[in-house]
Amino acid sequence: MAAPATDRAGSGGQGPSNGPSNITLAKALNDGLRAAMEGDDKVILMGEDIGKLGGVFRITDGLQKDFGEQRVLDTPLAESGIIGTAIGLALRGFRPVCEIQFDGFVFPGFDQIVSQLSKLRYRSQGKLPMRLVVRIPFGGGIGAVEHHSESPESLFAHVAGLKVVACSNAADAYWMIQQAIDSDDPVIFFEPKRRYWEKSELDTSVKPRPLHTSRVLRTGSAATVVAYGPMVRTVLDAAAAADCELEVIDLRTLSPLDLAPVFDAVRRTGRLVCVAEAPGESSITAEVAARVQQECFYSLEAPVLRVTGFDTPYPPSKCEEYYLPDLDRVLDAVDRVLAH
Amino acid sequence: MPSPPHEPPSWRQHASGTHAAATAVEAEPSAEQVIAGLRATSEGGVQLLNPEGERVSHPDFDLEISAAELKSLYRDMVLVRRVDREGNALQRQGQLGIWVPLLGQEAAQIGAGRAMAPQDMAFPSYREHGIAWCRGVDPTELLGVWRGTDHGSWDPNDTGFQLYTIVIANQCLHATGYAMGQRFEGMIGDSETGEATICFFGDGATSQGDVHESFVWAAVYDAPVLFFCQNNQWAVSEPTERQSRVPLYRRAQGYGFPGIRVDGNDVLATLAVTRWALEECRTGNGPVLIEAFTYRMDAHTTSDDATRYRLAEELEAWKLRDPIERVRVHLVREGLAGQDFFDGVAAESDELAQRVRSHAEAMPQPGPERIFSEVYAEASPPVQAQREEFLAYHATFVDTEEPLAGSSIDTEEPLAGSSIDTAGDR
């Protein structure tokens, strides 16, 4: 491992001050990328429109100006090219961070991710580590056209050799992107695009938890609700509105899953609701449900329920409010597990 | 006598225009028509040693080469072919699951491989046993891939030869990215110490999007990468005409870098042109595309049956252009080597083949723990748990008289697979 991410905190001229601040998730990512680039000159950013424009979501705003065109590459418009050449650069000893502009655009690069990125360490038995991050803004709720609102995380979690994480707030965004870049494994890094502009507290003096850990955000005794990425905010709002005490867990890491806190919570509450925007079939929420029934079978007081997107393509945006799990659907599921 | 590739072959006159498909769809074309159609895109190409073993001059690519160097190239090709034939035999005898023959492509690979400098990096497809040889990868190290004991055992960083890539054209982007890194690190410019990358792929791969994207990226980033396409005429069963209307080397022009065709069965021409192209790359004038016009004289793999899709006459025609024979004839004609030399190389090749065979037969069966090795740098707890559970399960078989898992249908006991799922809450 390179220097621990904690050593990088606030070292940059435009980075966050060392102490608590209230910043957007987008700015936290920008600060985290800047810190990683300052800490290791082998870290390079690659993607479409990430240089002069700063990315369509401005996550890389100002970085090309400060680090140059050889550290922040405006690439040709080809996702297989982005991932494939980044793999070549990783073989050369670089630590590329690739931006996929929108979730639905990753599939031209899916071949390189599945066939090569995930397998090169295994194929070479450790001689060819893949220190590479693929950042993917994911999820809906922004009124976008087709291919701009998808949640493909389960497709990556199913691939051995990849690590998959999703951040949900500014502090996690700041630390997790640096930890992902520090990782000696390839990391698919999902960013909740509809939460980019929501502010939350980042205190860089607080040491981050390890990357591949889930986190209990709220303790409660009535039922456990698990979510990740953009649904964490939704679930916290639901918990605040509920007339019972809900335990809320942010998974953060989707592969490998860190389910010990979930098992612990389910053994106490006996009830579990899993929430995600992605279709439920063969998904992260399906995996959580399967593991919980295996580990906590005799603790369960009710069937595990899932609140997810439907097993349909992502709908036209005027229909997305029906499609996306919201506070009411979460609370309805909570009512149903509590009815047992 | 077959014509050298820079003159249209005589049978070419039978082809109707440049559209091979036009002749292919006619009912019952003659063998000559079929072969003519397949070669319809043949044109030009650098040649320095013709199939009759005579040196040919070329205005741009002259090559001064000593007798010792010539004999060394001959030896390389003979040894590599002998290893290749042994690989085929080992598959037929059950020692390998599959073998991918390079028969006929020895000159293309030895010419390219011997043009490389130690600091260069090669990205192979999966037929580049001759490049592996030139990079110092021992032939025994190739066997694991085909026997199924590993996915590639050599160290790419030590050898400058990356692992085989099975998915067609994926490696072209890796080579491009690697070459971009060479440029970013300032490792190009000097013709002695500068670095270059060479990427191997076939005629079939040129249809893949990854080749297009590689050409685009290499061009816009001025990457020091040599794209070395071995056009062996066949992508499994599909002829080159199924991949392209134009000769493959001409595609480079559209991307803004030079493309050149070389007689891939001429080791001297391949060596000279590859040296030039690598020099271009290492001094900052990359990328370059080389189309080595050659022929896959055996099947695609040992699982393939080439008689289902191509004519014996075609193979016979290419046998007259054999890459090794023309060097042998040249050495003899010029009095550069006597029978002792040829006998010595033949004996050495038999010894090498025997070493390859002995190695294959002695390769140990990997244990079940191999499945879980190096999936991740930082261990994944779920995968670790699966490992421990399966190894414990597997160990229950070891001390019994029963066959190991997988043969359990022959036993009276039912398969004990359900015991893997142990619930923590029982």
Side-chain angles (χ1 to χ4, degrees), chain A residues 42 70 74-75 78 80-81 85 88 92 111-112 116 121-122 125 161-163 185 294-296 298-299, chain B residues 151 153 170 173-174 177-178 182 184-185 187 195 210 213 217 221 370-371 373-374 376-378 423 425:
Chain A
K42 287 295 184 186
Q70 217 156 277
D74 268 328
T75 67
S80 189
T85 55
R92 182 78 191 172
D111 172 29
Q112 285 284 351
Q116 305 299 332
R121 161 175 288 277
Y122 190 69
Q125 284 296 285
L162 301 177
K163 300 270 175 83
D185 289 311
Q294 182 175 321
E295 294 295 326
C296 310
Y298 292 103
S299 303
Chain B
H151 294 321
S153 60
N170 272 179
L173 282 167
H174 307 167
Y178 191 92
Q182 289 173 321
F184 292 165
E185 290 176 356
M187 299 307 289
E195 294 188 23
D210 276 5
E213 293 182 29
W217 286 63
Y221 288 104
R370 173 60 176 78
I371 301 169
S373 169
E374 295 289 352
Y376 296 101
E378 183 191 341
D425 231 29

Side-chain angles (χ1 to χ4, degrees), chain A residues 294-295, chain B residues 372 382 385-394 396-397 405 415-424 426:
Chain A
Q294 182 175 321
E295 294 295 326
Chain B
F372 304 96
Q386 287 176 359
R387 179 184 189 277
E388 287 158 24
E389 207 157 347
F390 181 70
L391 293 184
Y393 165 74
H394 186 262
T396 63
F397 289 84
L415 195 61
S418 58
S419 68
I420 297 176
D421 294 324
T422 53
R426 279 178 184 166

Side-chain angles (χ1 to χ4, degrees), chain A:
Chain A
M1 292 286 281
T6 43
D7 290 344
R8 293 172 174 168
S11 59
Q14 297 174 40
S17 58
N18 195 19
S21 59
N22 208 34
I23 66 170
T24 63
L25 193 151
K27 181 69 168 68
L29 283 168
N30 181 274
D31 288 343
L33 289 168
R34 176 180 293 280
M37 295 184 77
E38 284 169 345
D40 183 351
D41 63 11
K42 287 295 184 186
V43 175
I44 59 173
L45 312 187
M46 305 170 68
E48 298 158 3
D49 310 302
I50 69 167
K52 279 208 172 76
L53 184 66
V56 294
F57 292 109
R58 308 293 184 269
I59 304 302
T60 54
D61 189 33
L63 296 178
Q64 188 184 65
K65 181 170 126 322
D66 294 342
F67 292 95
E69 293 186 4
Q70 217 156 277
R71 299 278 310 275
V72 181
L73 279 66
D74 268 328
T75 67
L77 265 70
E79 287 76 12
S80 189
I82 293 171
I83 306 295
T85 55
I87 288 170
L89 283 156
L91 289 170
R92 182 78 191 172
F94 288 83
R95 287 181 180 266
V97 182
C98 303
E99 174 174 304
I100 300 297
Q101 199 159 72
F102 283 90
D103 33 59
F105 301 168
V106 72
F107 299 106
F110 199 57
D111 172 29
Q112 285 284 351
I113 292 173
V114 174
S115 305
Q116 305 299 332
L117 180 63
S118 70
K119 295 180 172 72
L120 269 159
R121 161 175 288 277
Y122 190 69
R123 186 180 304 150
S124 67
Q125 284 296 285
K127 296 187 217 41
L128 303 176
M130 279 290 107
R131 301 179 178 108
L132 196 157
V133 175
V134 182
R135 294 178 38 236
I136 306 177
F138 82 129
I142 62 165
V145 298
E146 197 182 5
H147 309 296
H148 290 68
S149 303
E150 298 176 7
S151 297
E153 60 274 14
S154 302
L155 300 175
F156 297 92
H158 194 71
V159 178
L162 301 177
K163 300 270 175 83
V164 184
V165 301
C167 59
S168 68
N169 58 67
D172 276 356
Y174 178 74
W175 290 119
M176 288 171 72
I177 189 62
Q178 294 180 70
Q179 292 168 319
I181 293 168
D182 265 344
S183 173
D184 286 338
D185 289 311
V187 179
I188 312 298
F189 192 94
F190 282 98
E191 301 168 2
K193 72 167 86 81
R194 72 158 127 159
R195 308 296 185 197
Y196 271 150
W197 312 114
E198 292 181 7
K199 286 188 173 182
S200 55
E201 186 177 284
L202 167 62
D203 184 348
T204 57
S205 68
V206 176
K207 193 170 180 251
R209 64 185 52 238
L211 179 60
H212 296 292
T213 54
S214 54
R215 183 180 175 197
V216 178
L217 296 179
R218 181 185 173 116
T219 55
S221 56
T224 304
V225 185
V226 163
Y228 57 89
M231 282 291 105
V232 172
R233 180 76 259 155
T234 304
V235 166
L236 284 172
D237 290 346
D243 50 13
C244 61
E245 288 301 316
L246 298 179
E247 179 126 342
V248 175
I249 299 177
D250 180 356
L251 286 178
R252 295 178 8 117
T253 176
L254 308 182
S255 179
L257 285 165
D258 174 34
L259 293 182
V262 179
F263 299 151
D264 176 64
V266 171
R267 286 181 185 125
R268 283 185 284 104
T269 62
R271 293 169 172 85
L272 175 65
V273 175
C274 301
V275 183
E277 287 188 24
E281 185 175 344
S282 306
S283 65
I284 300 292
T285 55
E287 184 67 23
V288 172
R291 301 263 194 108
V292 164
Q293 70 80 24
Q294 182 175 321
E295 294 295 326
C296 310
F297 185 74
Y298 292 103
S299 303
L300 285 170
E301 302 287 344
V304 175
L305 290 188
R306 296 183 291 153
V307 183
T308 66
F310 301 106
D311 297 331
T312 67
Y314 199 84
S317 62
K318 290 298 183 192
C319 298
E320 70 182 346
E321 68 176 289
Y322 310 128
Y323 177 91
L324 293 168
D326 60 10
L327 184 145
D328 290 326
R329 279 176 64 195
V330 172
L331 290 180
D332 179 65
V334 169
D335 285 347
R336 281 188 286 144
V337 295
L338 288 173
H340 280 273

Side-chain angles (χ1 to χ4, degrees), chain A residues 84 112 116, chain B residues 123-126 128 162-177 198-202 205 210 214 227:
Chain A
Q112 285 284 351
Q116 305 299 332
Chain B
F123 283 81
S125 177
Y126 45 73
E128 279 70 38
Q162 293 287 328
L163 298 184
Y164 280 168
T165 302
I166 309 285
V167 177
I168 301 300
N170 272 179
Q171 77 279 8
C172 298
L173 282 167
H174 307 167
T176 302
I198 182 166
C199 177
F200 294 93
F201 58 107
D210 276 5
S214 298
F227 295 107

Side-chain angles (χ1 to χ4, degrees), chain B residues 399-410:
Chain B
D399 292 328
T400 72
E401 297 297 311
E402 299 292 330
L404 293 181
S407 327
S408 57
I409 49 171
D410 296 331

Side-chain angles (χ1 to χ4, degrees), chain B residues 201-361:
Chain B
F201 58 107
D203 42 292
T206 61
S207 296
Q208 286 280 0
D210 276 5
V211 166
H212 165 68
E213 293 182 29
S214 298
F215 286 7
V216 168
W217 286 63
V220 302
Y221 288 104
D222 302 321
V225 56
L226 166 56
F227 295 107
F228 192 97
C229 176
Q230 290 172 84
N231 176 0
N232 68 12
Q233 315 302 326
W234 292 96
V236 192
S237 69
E238 298 191 0
T240 311
E241 284 71 17
R242 185 55 63 203
Q243 319 294 338
S244 182
R245 267 192 180 190
V246 300
L248 297 174
Y249 73 92
R250 278 205 218 151
R251 287 196 178 167
Q253 188 182 9
Y255 296 89
F257 56 88
I260 186 166
R261 177 179 277 180
V262 60
D263 178 354
N265 282 18
D266 175 358
V267 70
L268 299 187
T270 308
L271 179 70
V273 174
T274 309
R275 270 186 189 159
W276 164 80
L278 287 173
E279 170 87 3
E280 286 289 288
C281 289
R282 73 178 87 253
T283 54
N285 293 321
V288 178
L289 169 66
I290 290 176
E291 177 191 2
F293 202 77
T294 182
Y295 190 71
R296 196 194 76 208
M297 293 178 78
D298 203 339
H300 167 66
T301 70
T302 48
S303 300
D304 180 34
D305 175 6
T307 66
R308 290 178 68 93
Y309 52 82
R310 70 184 189 187
L311 295 162
E313 287 93 331
E314 182 184 288
L315 176 60
E316 293 307 312
W318 277 92
K319 279 182 180 174
L320 298 173
R321 298 169 160 199
D322 187 276
I324 298 180
E325 183 62 10
R326 72 176 75 178
V327 179
R328 192 192 67 79
V329 168
H330 180 71
L331 287 169
V332 170
R333 174 177 289 147
E334 302 297 319
L336 301 173
Q339 194 57 41
D340 287 354
F341 168 73
F342 296 111
D343 291 347
V345 172
E348 185 184 5
S349 73
D350 285 340
E351 285 167 26
L352 176 59
Q354 183 55 48
R355 187 163 69 78
V356 167
R357 167 171 294 275
S358 302
H359 185 90
E361 291 170 350

